[in-house]
Structures are given as structure tokens and as C-alpha cells.
Amino acid sequence: MSYLPKPNRYKSMPYRRCGKSGLMLPAVSLGLWHNFGAIDSLENARTILKLAFDSGITHFDLANNYGPPAGSAEETFGKIFKDDFKSYRDELIISTKAGWGMWEGPYGDWGSKKYLVASLDQSLKRMGLDYVDLFYHHRPDPETPLEETMGALDLIVRRGKALYVGISSYSASETEAAIAVLNQLGTPCLIHQPKYSMFDRWVEGGLLDVLGEKGVGCIPFSPLAQGLLSNKYLKGIPKGSRAASHRGNGAIEEDAITPEKIAKVIKLNELALNRGQNLAQMALSWILKDDRITSVLIGVSKPEQVTDSIKCLENISFSAEELNVINNILA
């Protein structure tokens, strides 16, 4: 039986304008960094994607190296897209990235035009798409001239292989320079994807100001510090959790879950409960409280985590007292 999305899927999800563009993104987007690789259940991935779309999540975020193994998350998405989502292509925002090592030799990493163009061609083939809506350079390249890397993004848009382009993990100064080059080329930078959570607040040191001033969107990843900002690790490291899985590819490891971190998590959890939320919901709400944030990326391993995460939208306001408590806990 073919998949029929819920007819009321757009009723409850708020959509936010991405910078100064015409594009609107759901306040909550789904990232396929982990749990969608060849080592994971295809049917679980299918269930998650369907539930996300039924809930108004129109944006699915990938990268060439997501898996494991690298490339397999795009292959998984491609299978599900072909079976279930092809009829709804014009209702979806699909993004992918390149910037980390993908294949042997000098042309499979970083930010050369050769690598970025070839990588996107491979990504499109894996996903069975003619184009992506959004293509990112995944990390700054200290050796390749910025003009070449941004020129490759411009070329990709002009060739019709991406509608928009963005950058990820660039510092405030690097972001300002990239925005300037892309503006000069006539292909504006749509959005920046930084790592941002209560435990990793580097974007507050200038990046958010640059994005706000330049009219560029922001979509943080790892808002829950890969599950640390949830009730998952309050009583140790559960069997089957991401920290216990040793997945590699940037996934959290057991040594990141220290007694000091857990002490803070326990206090944050108490505040969340007082707000009528669980900790994961509060951590997502805390990021979405800033109007410079376009969307927040969630990563889930179970369908019910999609529904639970979206409940963060029921309360994204924080009192000055609550923010002060959070800052004191995190200090």
C-alpha cells in the first residue's frame, strides 16, 4: 500500500523564514547523521521519516559522509524516497553536504571545486534526485582559496544541481568572508549549520550576530549534545544508547559522559520539569527562543522521539529568572 501523508500535517508545525530568502523551514528539522546508515534498520528509518513528514517536518538533512559507512544514509534515504516520497518531492527540502573525507586520493576531501562538484554528483545518484534544495560546504578548508570553494557553490546552483547553498562550522570571521564572496558571485549564502547546545555555546561569541546582521539563517545541529541533554544518561550509560554503540563518525563516546556533566544535567532536568517539559524539550526550546534561529535539527533513533521533540514548540519562552538559573548551572 502506497504511503499517504496525513492531510493536516501543516497545521501544527510553525515555519520560519530563512534569513532574507523566500524559503521557509519547519521550526524542527530532521537530521540523518546517525541511525540511517547501512548498519541500521531500513524499516525503522522509513517509519521515522513518515512520522516526521506527517508531523509537518518538511526538511531532511544529510551529508555525503553520513552512515556508517559513509554514503549509506543517502542510500537509505534514496530507497525510502523512491518508495514513499517521490510524489511529494515539491513539498520537501532536502539538503546534503561535502567537506570531509569521502574517497582515497587528493580529490576526495576538503573544499576544492573538483571535490565539491564530484561529491554532489555522487550524492544525487545515491538519493535518486535531480537536485537538492540546499547544498553546504561542511567545514572550512584552510588550504583552498575561499573564492574557489564559494565559486564551486555558485557553479552548482547555476548548473541547477542545488537551489540554495550554505556553510557549516565556519567561524564568525570565516562566515562573514564567505557571505561576502557569495554575494559578489550572485548566489547568496542561505544558511549556516553550526554545532550549538547548552553545552556548546561558541556561536554566541559572534557568529549569531553576523548571521543576524547579514540576514542569513541558522540551523544548529547536536542541540541535545547527542542525547546528553536528555534523561537518557541520568542513571548511567544505557545498553543500546549512542554512547555505548561505538558507531564512530563523530558519535558521542562514553568518556564524554562525566560526573560533572551529569551533575549539570540533573539540575537542568529539575528546571525542565518545573517548566512542564522534559530536558530534551527544554534544550530544544532554549535554542529556538532566539529569533535568529531558523530551525533546529533533531537526530532520533526511535519514532516516538520525533513526537516528543516536537512538543518543545509548546513552550519556547523563558523568563529572565529561568535563563539566569540555566546560565548558573552551565557556568
Side-chain angles (χ1 to χ4, degrees):
M1 183 175 174
S2 59
Y3 165 54
L4 292 174
K6 288 186 177 178
N8 64 345
R9 59 190 175 277
Y10 296 117
K11 296 283 173 63
S12 58
M13 175 63 67
Y15 297 86
R16 295 183 172 192
R17 186 165 300 280
C18 193
K20 292 180 180 176
S21 78
L23 187 67
M24 308 283 281
L25 292 182
V28 176
S29 297
L30 180 65
L32 280 68
W33 182 12
H34 300 296
N35 306 310
F36 292 83
I39 67 170
D40 301 296
S41 163
L42 176 64
E43 290 312 308
N44 186 56
R46 190 189 308 275
T47 301
I48 289 170
L49 287 168
K50 286 181 179 180
L51 177 59
F53 191 50
D54 283 342
S55 304
I57 294 178
T58 53
H59 178 209
F60 300 145
D61 180 75
L62 297 106
N64 59 356
N65 64 332
Y66 287 177
S72 62
E74 290 180 329
E75 289 172 352
T76 294
F77 177 79
K79 291 172 187 173
I80 298 169
F81 174 80
K82 181 181 178 182
D83 293 342
D84 299 306
F85 288 98
K86 202 162 189 177
S87 300
Y88 307 100
R89 175 67 182 96
D90 294 338
E91 297 183 45
L92 294 173
I93 299 297
I94 300 166
S95 60
T96 195
K97 314 174 197 72
W100 291 88
M102 272 299 288
W103 61 87
E104 294 297 319
Y107 316 120
D109 199 353
W110 292 105
S112 71
K113 185 180 291 186
K114 170 72 173 173
Y115 169 54
L116 295 181
V117 171
S119 180
L120 180 54
D121 283 344
Q122 293 177 20
S123 291
L124 292 174
K125 186 175 180 180
R126 283 191 287 265
M127 292 188 285
L129 300 176
D130 297 322
Y131 70 95
V132 290
D133 299 277
L134 174 56
F135 182 66
Y136 291 90
H137 185 223
H138 210 162
R139 60 168 172 168
D141 182 346
E143 302 296 330
T144 300
L146 184 65
E147 290 76 11
E148 177 178 343
T149 303
M150 296 303 108
L153 298 184
D154 174 65
L155 175 67
I156 282 164
V157 169
R158 293 182 188 279
R159 285 186 173 178
K161 295 184 178 183
L163 301 184
Y164 303 94
V165 295
I167 54 177
S168 178
S169 302
Y170 277 54
S171 69
S173 60
E174 290 166 338
T175 296
E176 201 159 14
I179 290 169
V181 174
L182 284 170
N183 283 342
Q184 197 171 26
L185 292 168
T187 299
C189 181
L190 177 81
I191 198 165
H192 188 298
Q193 187 175 131
K195 190 175 187 180
Y196 184 29
S197 73
M198 287 180 172
F199 283 151
D200 193 348
R201 300 175 66 172
W202 73 274
V203 301
E204 297 170 9
L207 179 62
L208 284 176
D209 291 334
V210 169
L211 298 178
E213 290 164 8
K214 302 296 182 182
V216 173
C218 183
I219 180 167
F221 72 93
S222 288
L224 304 185
Q226 297 196 54
L228 192 51
L229 286 163
S230 73
N231 56 16
K232 184 182 294 183
Y233 299 109
L234 287 174
K235 297 179 181 179
I237 301 174
K239 190 176 180 181
S241 66
R242 192 182 299 185
S245 67
H246 306 291
R247 297 175 63 92
N249 197 27
I252 192 171
E253 297 288 348
E254 290 162 316
D255 59 4
I257 302 171
T258 63
E260 293 78 16
K261 279 274 173 67
I262 294 302
K264 292 180 179 182
V265 168
I266 290 170
K267 291 178 181 177
L268 290 168
N269 187 57
E270 291 172 1
L271 177 61
L273 294 175
N274 289 336
R275 284 171 48 84
Q277 296 178 308
N278 61 37
L279 178 53
Q281 290 162 357
M282 185 179 79
L284 295 171
S285 300
W286 180 83
I287 286 179
L288 286 167
K289 74 185 186 306
D290 192 320
D291 60 12
R292 294 169 295 186
I293 302 295
T294 310
S295 179
V296 64
L297 278 166
I298 59 168
V300 304
S301 58
K302 301 172 185 175
E304 53 266 31
Q305 292 171 338
V306 174
T307 304
D308 186 73
S309 295
I310 291 172
K311 288 179 181 177
C312 76
L313 299 171
E314 296 172 7
N315 184 10
I316 61 171
S317 297
F318 288 78
S319 68
E321 182 181 354
E322 287 173 328
L323 292 175
N324 191 47
V325 169
I326 290 170
N327 288 335
N328 287 336
I329 293 170
L330 298 173

